[in-house]
Amino acid sequence: MDSKKRLPGSRIAWAAAAAALALGAQRALAEEFEAVTGSASPDYVRARQADGKFVPESYAFGKGGYYSGPISDKTIARVGFLQVAHVMSGALRTRNYFPGFDPRTTKLLIMVYWGTTYAPEHASASPEYTIASDLVGQILAPDAGAHRPLPKGDKFEPVAEGGGGRMSLEQSNDVLDALSPVQAENRRRDKQDALNAALLGYNSWWNRFGDTDLAGTALENERQDMLTELEDDRYFVVLMAYDFQLMRTKRLHKLLWDTRFSIREHKNAFDEKLPAMALQASRYFGQDSGGVTHSSLPDGRVDIGQLKNLGPLPEK
């Protein structure tokens, strides 16, 4: 299994595919939804032909990297870059993107990243949380005073108005010590949620709800929906399209568009779902989605033609 890599990635691999992507009878799976986010630079505008279709654009693939998840998963570990690029080429063709053969005329360099996110452990499920909860429960029990003698020099203070028990200074320190690991776990969880939000393209959601306490408000459910998705292990693919000519001639990295799509790992197989995921996400290739979109993932047969690998582009 490949090790985790950081964006952006490594050497460029040129690939061309004579690919035809045809779906058979599609059956929407109501229980499975794909999240897709697309964004495009204001400088990137696709012209249209007389028939309304986009003017064809050529591209080369770049191997960005594979991110392995925390759990061994053969359905994604056995899928390499060429297999992912093969599927992406079919989906790109539906939007009039075609493989380029000449580095001097190819317009886009599309970096491909794929993998599984890392879901943080819920602090409420951690051993530290259980220990802290048990300790607080013992101290605040209605008969706590009868079973826990008050040390000399300490003074009972009410926990809250109407509370069933009172705790000493020493007991208060015990609670704080027990809760400290829980607070640290929550901070790690928030950090991992933020990283997953950036990776999956949930930025608009995260900026709205991520660091805000919405308990008791009408938006609490929407924030919880976001956290539920971010804290699931999710299969994802990220396509980042750069101006190839600007990179080739001036060594400048200008991102023109990117598309990020994902589904939950549970009860899914990456190698089986990837073609449908790519087709569903293709509507946002080179387009702005206006934030995270969700749609049921179609289940169908995808036929893709033979992939021809033209080898790596020589590095200077």
Side-chain angles (χ1 to χ4, degrees):
M1 183 178 295
D2 296 338
S3 60
K4 294 185 180 181
K5 299 181 180 179
R6 294 183 179 274
L7 307 183
S10 50
R11 68 181 182 86
I12 299 169
W14 284 78
L21 189 150
L23 280 183
Q26 296 184 3
R27 176 171 55 86
L29 299 180
E31 71 278 8
E32 193 56 69
F33 290 87
E34 179 181 26
V36 185
T37 303
S39 62
S41 167
D43 299 331
Y44 182 73
V45 179
R46 295 195 72 185
R48 292 185 180 270
Q49 304 174 132
D51 60 1
K53 295 182 179 179
F54 289 118
V55 172
E57 292 185 3
S58 57
Y59 67 87
F61 277 133
K63 183 180 179 181
Y66 164 57
Y67 293 68
S68 60
I71 302 173
S72 177
D73 185 343
K74 294 181 180 179
T75 73
I76 190 169
R78 63 186 174 216
V79 179
F81 168 62
L82 287 181
Q83 290 94 326
V84 177
H86 191 186
V87 175
M88 294 304 110
S89 67
L92 285 161
R93 181 175 288 269
T94 67
R95 307 300 289 178
N96 264 13
Y97 289 109
F98 296 92
F101 296 91
D102 187 348
R104 296 169 298 178
T105 59
T106 298
K107 182 170 183 178
L108 302 174
L109 169 65
I110 301 179
M111 301 299 296
V112 182
Y113 304 86
W114 73 102
T116 309
T117 60
Y118 179 82
E121 180 183 23
H122 292 247
S124 58
S126 67
E128 294 85 356
Y129 183 90
T130 302
I131 294 170
S133 296
D134 289 345
L135 178 58
V136 173
Q138 293 169 12
I139 293 175
L140 302 186
D143 57 349
H147 298 281
R148 297 180 65 89
L150 176 64
K152 292 182 179 181
D154 280 356
K155 180 182 179 182
F156 279 118
E157 296 293 343
V159 177
E161 183 178 352
R166 300 169 184 271
M167 69 173 67
S168 68
L169 177 61
E170 180 181 346
Q171 293 164 347
S172 297
N173 290 335
D174 289 343
V175 173
L176 292 177
D177 289 342
L179 290 177
S180 181
V182 179
Q183 294 168 344
E185 180 66 31
N186 280 331
R187 286 193 293 271
R188 288 193 294 269
R189 175 184 176 187
D190 290 341
K191 183 177 180 180
Q192 188 62 49
D193 284 341
L195 290 173
N196 286 344
L199 177 64
L200 299 176
Y202 283 51
N203 306 71
S204 59
W205 244 9
W206 184 261
N207 291 338
R208 187 180 181 193
F209 301 127
D211 297 324
T212 306
D213 183 7
L214 300 173
T217 71
L219 297 177
E220 181 180 3
N221 288 340
E222 192 169 350
R223 182 179 188 275
Q224 187 56 51
D225 288 343
M226 176 192 72
L227 292 178
T228 297
E229 293 188 29
L230 291 177
E231 295 180 355
D232 269 340
D233 291 321
R234 297 182 69 82
Y235 294 130
F236 71 87
V237 176
V238 176
L239 302 181
M240 303 182 73
Y242 293 87
D243 186 321
F244 187 84
Q245 293 307 311
L246 194 60
M247 186 178 295
R248 184 180 71 87
T249 59
K250 298 183 178 180
R251 300 296 179 184
L252 297 177
H253 295 73
K254 182 177 182 179
L255 182 64
L256 297 179
W257 59 265
D258 70 276
T259 305
R260 301 162 187 263
F261 49 101
S262 64
I263 61 169
R264 61 176 182 161
E265 181 183 17
H266 184 60
K267 293 185 178 180
N268 283 311
F270 180 79
D271 52 356
E272 294 177 1
K273 295 295 185 180
L274 182 60
M277 289 172 62
L279 180 67
Q280 189 82 332
S282 65
R283 71 183 72 179
Y284 296 115
F285 290 171
Q287 305 295 312
D288 199 304
S289 64
V292 184
T293 66
H294 294 84
S295 55
S296 57
L297 190 65
D299 182 27
R301 184 175 61 87
V302 180
D303 296 323
I304 300 178
Q306 182 179 4
L307 179 71
K308 183 180 180 182
N309 182 16
L310 302 181
L313 182 70
E315 296 182 359
K316 295 184 180 181

